[in-house]
């Protein structure tokens, strides 16, 4: 492949060919059809963790996609316009159901663990006409071809993905076929998914864009193979105990995971051949140096950081294999532009940017996109070569006495402690300063909270950033895909001050407290937080 980006010097060479001249498929359905026609007998999916092990060739995967699509049509789905809600755990059926929905309509995968009222809200917003569950069966439908003459175009909507965690009302991000096909193609520029020997290990859930693109459409476009860990993914303890033997057996070349997955990987057993592995991709959360060092020492391949968000399809920056830069989360991908505003907020433009969150009347930029630039809400900077550096989230800033504090440097100082395996810093309401930083950490061995407090104070980027408290906890709250979920920690920090208080959150900040503690009123004065007595 002549489009590999292994150093920053490769970017101008790749971009010298206009994107519109690259003969990309018109849709994700055409993407799959092209590969199935070129290599029908090549393994597309090895399916683990869902009963007897199975392998689907590209011909069989396309057959299953046709069955799913024709099932939707038989139920009255309007070709090109209807939405299919997918409430599925990872399986072969989930791949077929999602790609089949995109072949004849719009796929809307949701997290099966979401509260029922949130699922109902999403399906009502997207207008889902059909809902597919683990019990659904497509096998009675013909799979030799689609039972319509309809074929999706690049500008047609392909999917609706919800954002956010397991609490709060998620937003819905529409994706077009052009966005998804571009992402499938550009991920191949990393080399991990290009070439006939590329094998991607899939352990993240298919309601998340990383799983759909990194371990789905990208390998399928470039003729690679996907090894699916099944319904539980990286949480399947039995499969994870034999993780490295799976890498050896299927000659896995790459996998993508969050830092907590890497920290829980078993040691590489003696005599296991994992020489096929090219790299481990990581993102979504701060990476402790101990986790990186442990993986690279054990697996003897680099851990490559990346950066992306659902609103920009999936990935916006990835670390080139031959030119990593310390502290960076990667180099911008071809045809994308990333910049920092004077306020330090990162913005993205290019073929991966979504049309705006879904509203009652369709996609609406609603201030998220300004003059073609997506406002990410992430803080950072970009160097002259296009490498991206993150410093935090705008909404995570701690405002202490009118002074903005970024929690990320505080977290990094704690992660530098040899006993700390995870760290999250949030702002706790304070009667005098408005907010003060408090830290939550997980540890690999017993470490006293006072020791960690002194460690953080000695290494704080400024005196105001020294945490007021450090709490050792068994685990840090995360979303279903392992991203840090700080609102729960904000609520916990308030409850530690005022036991028995009920905390109501909005956009990760406390907006109302319910309780009768006499200290509440003074704490809330500077926070514009509502207080309601239980009496």
């Amino acid at each position: 492949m002549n489009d590999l980006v292994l150093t920053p010097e490769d970017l101008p060479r790749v971009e010298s060919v206009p994107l519109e001249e690259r003969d990309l498929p018109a849709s994700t359905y055409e993407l799959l059809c092209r590969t199935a026609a070129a290599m029908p007998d090549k393994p597309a999916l090895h399916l683990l963790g869902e009963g007897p092990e199975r392998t689907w060739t590209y011909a069989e995967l396309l057959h299953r996609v046709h069955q799913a699509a024709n099932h939707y049509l038989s139920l009255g789905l309007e070709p090109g316009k209807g939405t299919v809600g997918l409430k599925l755990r990872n399986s072969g059926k989930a791949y077929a159901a999602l790609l089949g929905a995109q072949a004849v309509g719009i796929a809307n995968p949701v997290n099966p663990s979401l509260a029922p009222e949130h699922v109902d809200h999403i399906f009502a917003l997207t207008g889902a006409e059909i809902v597919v569950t683990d019990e659904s069966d497509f096998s009675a439908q013909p799979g030799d071809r689609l039972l319509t003459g309809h074929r999706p175009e690049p500008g047609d909507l392909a999917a609706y993905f919800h954002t956010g965690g397991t609490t709060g009302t998620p937003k819905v991000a529409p994706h077009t076929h052009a966005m998804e096909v571009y992402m499938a193609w550009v991920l191949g520029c990393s080399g991990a998914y290009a070439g006939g020997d590329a094998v991607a290990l899939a352990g993240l859930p298919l309601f998340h864009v990383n799983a759909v693109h990194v371990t789905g459409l990208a390998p399928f476009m470039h003729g690679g193979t996907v090894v699916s860990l099944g319904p539980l993914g990286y949480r399947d303890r039995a499969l994870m105990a034999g993780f490295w033997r799976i890498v050896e057996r299927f000659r896995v070349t790459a996998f993508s995971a969050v830092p907590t997955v890497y920290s829980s990987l078993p040691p590489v057993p003696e005599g296991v051949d994992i020489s096929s592995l090219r790299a481990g991709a990581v993102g979504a959360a701060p990476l402790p140096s101990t986790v990186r060092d442990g993986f690279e020492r054990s697996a003897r391949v680099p851990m490559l950081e990346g950066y992306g968000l659902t609103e920009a399809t999936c990935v916006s920056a990835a670390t080139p294999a031959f030119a990593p830069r310390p502290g960076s989360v990667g180099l911008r991908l071809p045809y994308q532009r990333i910049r920092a505003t004077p306020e330090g907020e990162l913005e993205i433009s290019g073929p991966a940017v979504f049309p705006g969150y879904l509203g009652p009347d369709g996609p609406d930029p609603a201030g998220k996109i300004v003059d073609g630039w997506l406002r990410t809400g992430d803080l950072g900077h970009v160097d002259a070569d296009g490498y991206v550096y993150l410093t935090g989230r705008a909404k995570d800033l701690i405002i202490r006495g009118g002074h903005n504090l970024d929690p990320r440097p505080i977290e990094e100082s704690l992660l530098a402690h040899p006993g700390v395996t995870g760290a999250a810093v949030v702002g706790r309401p304070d009667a005098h300063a408005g907010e003060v930083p408090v830290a939550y950490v997980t540890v690999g061995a017993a470490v006293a909270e006072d020791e960690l407090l002194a460690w953080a104070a000695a290494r704080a980027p400024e005196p105001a950033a020294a945490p007021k408290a450090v709490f050792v906890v068994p685990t840090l709250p995360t979303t279903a895909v392992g991203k840090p979920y700080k609102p729960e920690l904000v609520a916990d920090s308030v409850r530690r001050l005022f036991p028995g208080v009920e905390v109501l959150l909005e956009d990760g900040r406390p907006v109302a407290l319910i309780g009768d503690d006499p200290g509440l009123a003074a704490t809330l004065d500077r926070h514009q937080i509502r207080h309601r007595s239980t009496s």
Side-chain angles (χ1 to χ4, degrees):
M1 182 177 180
N2 296 321
D3 299 319
L4 294 180
V5 177
L6 303 178
T7 69
E9 290 74 25
D10 291 324
L11 269 178
R13 175 181 54 78
V14 172
E15 292 176 334
S16 66
V17 179
L19 184 62
E20 58 271 20
E21 294 180 12
R22 289 195 168 275
D23 188 32
L24 298 183
S27 66
T28 60
Y29 175 65
E30 185 182 328
L31 176 159
L32 182 60
C33 288
R34 284 191 187 186
T35 307
M39 47 187 70
D41 298 324
K42 173 77 184 293
L45 273 170
H46 295 299
L47 301 168
L48 314 181
E50 49 174 310
E53 182 182 310
R54 295 171 295 154
T55 296
W56 288 359
T57 63
Y58 273 100
E60 183 166 6
L61 174 59
L62 182 60
H63 178 88
R64 304 269 184 164
V65 168
H66 284 158
Q67 287 184 315
N70 289 334
H71 179 69
Y72 306 145
L73 294 172
S74 73
L75 295 176
L77 186 79
E78 184 177 1
K81 297 182 179 180
T83 300
V84 179
L86 306 171
K87 193 176 178 182
L88 297 164
R89 300 185 300 164
N90 281 17
S91 63
K93 179 191 297 180
Y95 278 96
L98 186 143
L99 292 171
Q102 294 194 359
V104 292
I106 306 168
N108 180 202
V110 300
N111 178 358
S113 299
L114 276 178
E117 60 268 25
H118 294 154
V119 174
D120 292 343
H121 166 78
I122 293 170
F123 285 163
L125 182 62
T126 63
E129 304 170 26
I130 298 168
V131 175
V132 182
T133 67
D134 290 327
E135 289 72 38
S136 301
D137 184 12
F138 314 135
S139 61
Q141 294 294 328
D144 56 329
R145 60 183 177 86
L146 287 185
L147 300 180
T148 172
H150 169 77
R151 292 294 182 272
E153 296 295 326
D156 292 344
L157 291 178
Y160 294 124
F161 288 97
H162 65 75
T163 65
T166 54
T167 60
T169 302
K171 297 183 177 71
V172 174
H175 286 184
T176 65
H177 281 276
M179 291 167 60
E180 295 203 343
V181 169
Y182 160 77
M183 186 55 57
W185 172 81
V186 81
L187 284 170
C189 294
S190 70
Y193 310 101
D197 63 339
V199 179
L201 187 67
L204 295 173
L206 279 168
F207 60 79
H208 190 265
V209 292
N210 185 288
V212 171
H213 293 92
V214 177
T215 54
L217 291 172
F220 296 158
M221 180 167 190
H222 298 285
T225 299
V226 175
V227 181
S228 171
L229 293 177
L232 297 179
Y234 290 129
R235 297 179 181 179
D236 191 321
R237 293 184 178 180
L239 284 178
M240 291 303 288
F243 180 86
W244 297 112
R245 297 198 180 278
I246 293 173
V247 172
E248 175 186 47
R249 179 183 171 199
F250 292 102
R251 308 304 294 160
V252 170
T253 58
F255 64 96
S256 178
V258 295
T260 51
V261 171
Y262 281 98
S263 66
S264 64
L265 288 178
V268 180
E270 288 289 335
V272 173
D273 178 8
I274 60 169
S275 58
S276 61
L277 195 63
R278 300 171 186 169
V282 66
L287 177 64
S289 58
T290 53
V291 174
R292 175 194 290 279
D293 294 344
F295 172 80
E296 293 185 343
R297 184 170 55 251
S298 179
R300 298 183 179 181
V301 296
M303 183 181 285
L304 303 179
E305 291 193 66
Y307 167 69
L309 57 163
T310 304
E311 294 85 347
T313 311
C314 182
V315 181
S316 297
T319 298
F322 294 169
R325 289 193 181 172
S328 168
V329 292
L331 177 69
R332 69 170 180 85
L333 296 184
Y335 307 104
Q336 298 201 52
R337 296 292 181 269
I338 306 178
R339 70 185 185 187
T341 67
E343 298 75 27
E345 181 179 359
L346 295 177
E347 296 184 333
I348 302 171
S349 70
V353 172
F354 82 146
Y357 293 118
L358 184 65
D361 301 318
D364 179 13
K368 191 72 174 176
I369 303 170
V370 179
D371 296 329
W373 288 87
L374 168 67
R375 302 176 60 185
T376 67
D378 292 310
L379 301 176
H381 65 277
V382 184
D383 70 18
D385 292 323
Y387 283 83
V388 179
Y389 300 79
L390 294 181
T391 58
R393 288 284 295 171
K395 68 180 181 181
D396 289 340
L397 286 176
I398 300 166
I399 306 173
R400 181 173 185 172
H403 177 50
N404 288 352
L405 297 175
D406 184 352
R408 192 177 178 99
I410 312 172
E411 293 165 350
E412 289 174 349
S413 70
L414 284 162
L415 289 170
H417 189 285
V420 172
T421 58
V425 173
V426 298
R428 182 177 72 187
D430 182 81
H432 302 290
E435 285 182 317
V436 294
V438 295
Y440 290 80
V441 301
T442 56
V443 297
V447 185
E449 292 178 347
D450 288 347
E451 176 187 337
L452 295 172
L453 187 62
W455 173 281
R459 293 161 177 79
E462 57 181 302
K468 281 290 185 179
V470 175
F471 305 115
V472 175
V473 292
T475 59
L476 295 172
T478 62
T479 67
V481 294
K483 290 187 177 182
Y485 190 70
K486 290 188 174 182
E488 290 183 17
L489 299 180
V490 175
D492 180 83
S493 74
V494 175
R495 287 192 291 264
R496 288 175 185 262
L497 280 179
F498 306 106
V501 167
E502 181 182 351
V503 184
L504 303 181
L505 299 171
E506 185 175 292
D507 290 330
R509 294 187 179 273
V511 294
L513 304 183
I514 303 172
D516 295 319
D517 192 297
L520 276 175
T523 302
L524 303 183
D525 279 346
R526 295 187 59 173
H527 251 271
Q528 298 183 336
I529 298 174
R530 300 190 303 274
H531 171 225
R532 188 165 76 242
S533 172
T534 57
S535 59

